[in-house]
Amino acid sequence: MIKETVSMFTRDGVRLDADIYRPDAEGTFPVLLMRQPYGKAIASTVVYAHPTWYASHGYIAVIQDVRGRGTSAGEFKLFAHEIEDGFDAVNWAAQLPGSSGEVGMYGFSYQGMTQLYAASAHPPALKTICPAMIGYDLYTDWAYQGGAFCLQDNLSWAIQLAAETARLRNDEKAYQALYAAYRNLPLSDTIPASPDILKNLAPESFYHEWLNHPKPDEYWEKLSPKQYFQEVDLPILHIGGWFDTYLRGTLHLYKEMAARSEFLQYLLIGPWAHLPWGRKVGAVDYGSAAASPIDQLQIRWFDHFIKGKDTGLFKELPVRLFEMGSNLWRSFESWPNNNQISYFLSSSGLASSQDDAGKLIPHPPTPSPLEGEGEKEGENLKSKIPNPKSEDIFVHDPWRPVPALGGHASFPAGSFERGAIDSRTDILTYTSAPLTEDLHIAGDVAVEIYCTADRPSFDLCAVLSEVQNNDKVYNFTQGYVRVEPHQETTPLKISLQSTCVRISKGDRLRLSLSAACFPAYPVNPGTGSLPRETRLIEAKIITLTVRSGGNFPSQILLPFCMKGKIC
């Protein structure tokens, strides 16, 4: 296999460097372009095959360092130059010696974002893209969730990029400090969400801007690819993971494109975290079927849409989801969102301390007549019926916030046994009876919770788990919301991570509610102050009340899908 390093120049004269891998054959070949900020030699091999493998399938693979990263010249500014540079890079790649003039793009995370920005400029040589694990609206899909700042993800990524900047500047002292901070995040500074190390060693970091824009304002509109993508229409292979922190961005883009595109939109979601894409995520082994099929699928995709081969893609259903639990791939005609069932919360008031006190039931709690009471003439029996509503009260202590465990918003991500954490008295748990048949969940999940607090602001974290017949508890999806002063709604609706999972007959479904998920999100101080200004000493104890039953039908909304049926 032939490899060379070649430079191009952008329209404003900045040199961008790329490694080029060519097929060991005569002729002209299409180009597969990846644009990334982590050093072109890595080539995203943390999740993809090496570029030589793609070259061996008849493509010129081009891995380019974006502006100001790797060996490319210029100043790196997060996403700021990727539209113009992406357009120039596609045009340049199409004109490489041996190129057929047709280009496809692939890559995940930042490398997925560069595809969206490049495509938004409509380079004529770009025929298709394969973005994986991206943010379409950077505010809702990446930086914030439910109004809460994604602290652990944003902070660790900012430190990683700042360390690379220090390395490129040959600033060993700064690099060593940032290297250490990445492996032990600075979460106990005076203002925990704004650590001194980033302010001192990376004052130019995007992190400060993200923290300073806590609402979906014009800043996010200009930065997000969504604004620029509205007129784009290409065949797109969308790739996601059930435990990827950016799955909501993948689905955001897919749903929009599936609704308006004239081309095939193919969606594949595996049981993966952001990386790697393998059979074991967290503490669960999903079997050999969970091994990544992405490299082979991308070759089929590029062969079809660039080389014009019939690879059978149109004979398949365009949505392919890995069903955790059965550990099998399932195919759908479209995103499954047609059927919905509810499980309602019911409690004796001790859901924070007793496993059997909080229940999930398939219908709203109903009142029953008082024992020994009969209706006398002229007396309304309803006046004798007890109110079926219940209240669970729990206390959030910022000194010992509920820690994050797996899921999509922290790392390590994935599914873990959370029986011990559910036994904390600052977590409410509601558990169903053993299922009488398998429960297949596929699609968008939400909870509606009637919750109030004694402080102006509070957070609520919802985790769904499977309680196995051996009493082991494994999470499979979760969501988070920040309630700010004067913005409380009743009930609170929390969108959980979309999922596809089978809960086995005999096992139980559990909902766990807490007021923190640290350090995935900053601890809410209860005062209404923003993370950028919240001092560690200012955090308050918060008492929360969750109501269920009666006029407070707190519930889980599940997308239900029968096995063997197309939903």
Side-chain angles (χ1 to χ4, degrees), residues 249-305:
T250 294
L251 290 176
H252 190 174
L253 174 62
Y254 166 75
K255 290 176 182 179
E256 179 183 301
M257 294 303 297
R260 68 171 174 84
S261 177
E262 296 182 3
F263 296 97
L264 177 62
Q265 304 295 313
Y266 192 108
L267 173 67
L268 184 143
I269 305 177
W272 310 315
H274 197 57
L275 61 93
W277 303 346
R279 58 183 285 171
K280 188 169 183 178
V281 185
V284 176
D285 186 339
Y286 293 101
S288 59
S292 173
I294 297 304
D295 292 306
Q296 297 94 328
L297 178 58
Q298 287 189 152
I299 288 297
R300 288 180 62 206
W301 186 266
F302 292 130
D303 281 354
H304 188 103
F305 289 104

Side-chain angles (χ1 to χ4, degrees), residues 43 66 101 122 159 200 218 247 273 383 387 395 456 470 521 528 537:
V66 300
H122 305 280
I159 291 173
N200 296 333
E218 185 180 1
L247 176 61
S383 65
N387 192 328
V395 176
N470 59 2
Y521 312 92
I537 198 172

Side-chain angles (χ1 to χ4, degrees), residues 201-279:
L201 298 183
E204 77 289 346
S205 173
F206 73 92
Y207 184 87
H208 310 297
E209 294 179 340
W210 285 20
L211 198 60
N212 287 332
H213 290 273
K215 300 295 180 183
D217 56 17
E218 185 180 1
Y219 167 82
W220 296 106
E221 185 178 347
K222 289 182 177 179
L223 189 65
S224 296
K226 180 180 179 180
Q227 174 185 351
Y228 311 103
F229 210 77
Q230 299 304 305
E231 303 301 321
V232 175
D233 196 7
L234 291 169
I236 301 178
L237 172 58
H238 308 257
I239 301 163
W242 295 129
F243 296 105
D244 174 45
T245 188
Y246 311 128
L247 176 61
R248 55 193 183 274
T250 294
L251 290 176
H252 190 174
L253 174 62
Y254 166 75
K255 290 176 182 179
E256 179 183 301
M257 294 303 297
R260 68 171 174 84
S261 177
E262 296 182 3
F263 296 97
L264 177 62
Q265 304 295 313
Y266 192 108
L267 173 67
L268 184 143
I269 305 177
W272 310 315
H274 197 57
L275 61 93
W277 303 346
R279 58 183 285 171

